[in-house]
Amino acid sequence: MQSLLKLSAVLDKVLAFFGKLGAWCGLLLVLVVVYDVISRYAGVPKPFGLNSTMIQESEYWLHSFLFMFMIGYAYVRQSHVRIDLVRERFPLKVKYALEALGCLLFIVPYSLVFASYSWRYAYTSFLEGEISKSVIGLSNIWILKMAMPLMFALLFIAAISQLIKSIAGLAGKLPDDMISQTLGGDN
């Protein structure tokens, strides 16, 4: 079980890396939005041959990357929405079982199916050389679309990490300091 918990820790580090990458996208998003507003209303010129449409589309891209890179990290850090009205009354073992079943029955299959579909969607975009619908917009839309299968892969990794922790909890092998990291709340 200890080797599986070490694997879970490695998976959590991978998710933390992408979470930090997503956080940088968030910071960059704020800077781009501020620049967009200043350049639009104060007449500051746009650098590198960019235009307002490209800058606005980059805001959409950065927002998408922020969300897609952080979803797995948010899941393992218990930053997602939980409806705890009923679950909080259950014993610890039942909570672990519910977490494990949720991962096995919902998150793992969902992420695998949608990773497959979104991969084909992104690959088709790459093959077709898809560009923005706006004549003066960004090109290489496949880069944005490629983040979708990555998002589902990160969600899959997060589910596997949480599944390992939940199984360790069911077996009574989960360290006490990892209980709230696995189940959230004040367990």
Side-chain angles (χ1 to χ4, degrees):
M1 187 55 65
Q2 291 305 320
S3 59
L4 285 176
L5 285 172
K6 286 180 184 177
L7 172 63
S8 174
V10 169
L11 295 177
D12 288 351
K13 286 181 183 178
V14 169
L15 295 168
F17 169 78
F18 281 99
K20 288 177 185 171
L21 193 60
W24 281 106
C25 288
L27 176 63
L28 193 55
L29 173 63
V30 169
L31 295 174
V32 170
V33 168
V34 168
Y35 179 77
D36 186 22
V37 169
I38 290 171
S39 67
R40 187 173 297 192
Y41 294 107
V44 175
K46 311 240 185 318
F48 313 115
L50 296 174
N51 59 50
S52 290
T53 302
M54 289 176 170
I55 290 174
Q56 287 178 341
E57 286 184 0
S58 70
E59 293 168 16
Y60 304 143
W61 281 43
L62 288 168
H63 186 263
S64 298
F65 289 140
L66 179 147
F67 178 78
M68 291 187 218
F69 290 160
M70 292 195 83
I71 191 168
Y73 179 71
Y75 183 63
V76 296
R77 300 300 296 173
Q78 302 301 314
S79 296
H80 58 289
V81 175
R82 283 190 181 274
I83 303 173
D84 290 339
L85 295 174
V86 176
R87 190 186 77 102
E88 285 304 311
R89 298 171 195 224
F90 293 150
L92 204 54
K93 295 272 187 188
V94 174
K95 291 178 187 178
Y96 286 128
L98 285 174
E99 188 73 20
L101 285 173
C103 289
L104 284 173
L105 297 177
F106 298 105
I107 299 174
V108 168
Y110 174 85
S111 58
L112 290 174
V113 168
F114 282 96
S116 171
Y117 280 109
S118 60
W119 166 255
R120 285 185 249 149
Y121 180 64
Y123 186 64
T124 301
S125 176
F126 172 75
L127 291 177
E128 293 175 356
E130 185 178 5
I131 61 171
S132 172
K133 299 215 184 299
S134 173
V135 176
I136 56 174
L138 295 174
S139 58
N140 298 320
I141 300 294
W142 66 271
I143 296 170
L144 178 62
K145 291 183 177 182
M146 193 57 72
M148 288 190 307
L150 177 61
M151 174 183 68
F152 290 112
L154 293 172
L155 188 59
F156 175 79
I157 290 170
I160 296 301
S161 178
Q162 289 300 102
L163 179 62
I164 290 169
K165 291 175 208 164
S166 297
I167 291 170
L170 279 170
K173 305 281 187 183
L174 189 69
D176 290 341
D177 62 330
M178 294 180 72
I179 293 173
S180 65
Q181 181 184 6
T182 305
L183 298 173
D186 298 328
N187 299 296

